[in-house]
Amino acid sequence: MDDVARRTPSGWKTSGHAIYLLGSTADEFGGSAWTEVAHGHLGGLPPRVDLERERQLGEILVTASRDGLVEAAHDLSEGGLAVALAEASLRNGVGARVWLDDVCERDGVDAFTLLFSESTGRAIVAVPPSEEDRFNALCAASGFANARIGVVDDEAGALDVRGQFIVPLSELRTAHTSTLPAVFAAR
């Protein structure tokens, strides 16, 4: 990175920006944070790594950042989508409304799997409305899976995953990052 002042933050801050999920999700829980919290077990097969997909994701994120197409970006590693959404909301204290049905259908997974799988080669980004067409064109040019899954909502004061749970940001703030899967498990 030439200039760290130009880095892409991990948390969103502007209400109305679209939240996109980059990459696809598989049923991969071996060695996950969820398995450790819910079952006290850490083992099994880790998620499959596709180095070409990782390279494509990196190129998309670098280009989108350089060209001002994203306000924020967060990887989906430890804890999966649920934890990434929580961390991106907590970073600046700005909530979000999220819906999962279309991506569940596209990837052939249920909402639980989409929220907690630690499949590699995935990220979430916040995209200004004026840049959505350019962002989608960037992903399409690479043939990289992407889907609009929500919107940043400063007035919500919560992470609202429609049809699944609503967690106030104040409750998320009290949870330590390593215990976020437990917060969602209680829902």
Side-chain angles (χ1 to χ4, degrees):
M1 179 175 289
D2 302 356
D3 179 2
V4 294
R6 292 185 49 233
R7 72 194 180 285
T8 303
S10 62
W12 42 67
K13 59 185 173 188
T14 307
S15 218
H17 283 197
I19 301 168
Y20 279 82
L21 171 63
L22 299 173
S24 55
T25 305
D27 189 349
E28 298 179 301
F29 290 98
S32 70
W34 173 262
T35 303
E36 183 177 16
V37 169
H39 302 290
H41 176 290
L42 194 58
L45 294 174
R48 292 177 307 277
V49 177
D50 179 337
L51 295 178
E52 177 59 20
R53 188 167 79 168
E54 293 288 348
R55 184 193 62 74
Q56 287 177 318
L57 176 61
E59 285 180 1
I60 289 168
L61 292 173
V62 167
T63 301
S65 178
R66 181 194 65 221
D67 294 351
L69 304 180
V70 297
E71 173 188 63
H74 196 298
D75 70 301
L76 272 65
S77 56
E78 185 178 2
L81 177 60
V83 172
L85 289 167
E87 290 175 348
S89 292
L90 289 174
R91 183 75 177 160
N92 296 303
V94 178
R97 286 178 287 123
V98 176
W99 47 92
L100 306 175
D101 293 344
D102 290 345
V103 178
C104 286
E105 185 175 324
R106 179 197 75 188
D107 292 352
V109 297
D110 59 19
F112 177 87
T113 301
L114 183 59
L115 286 166
F116 294 103
S117 173
E118 293 181 357
S119 293
T120 62
R122 298 181 307 148
I124 52 172
V125 294
V127 179
S130 62
E131 301 300 339
E132 283 189 80
D133 288 342
R134 287 179 59 209
F135 178 76
N136 283 312
L138 173 66
C139 293
S142 298
F144 202 84
N146 73 304
R148 187 178 198 271
I149 62 165
V151 64
V152 177
D153 186 353
D154 192 22
E155 294 180 20
L159 175 55
D160 179 358
V161 179
R162 299 295 168 102
Q164 301 302 316
F165 56 80
I166 299 174
V167 182
L169 295 183
S170 58
E171 186 178 332
L172 285 176
R173 267 187 216 98
T174 62
H176 183 273
T177 302
S178 65
T179 63
L180 280 174
V183 170
F184 296 116
R187 297 275 166 207

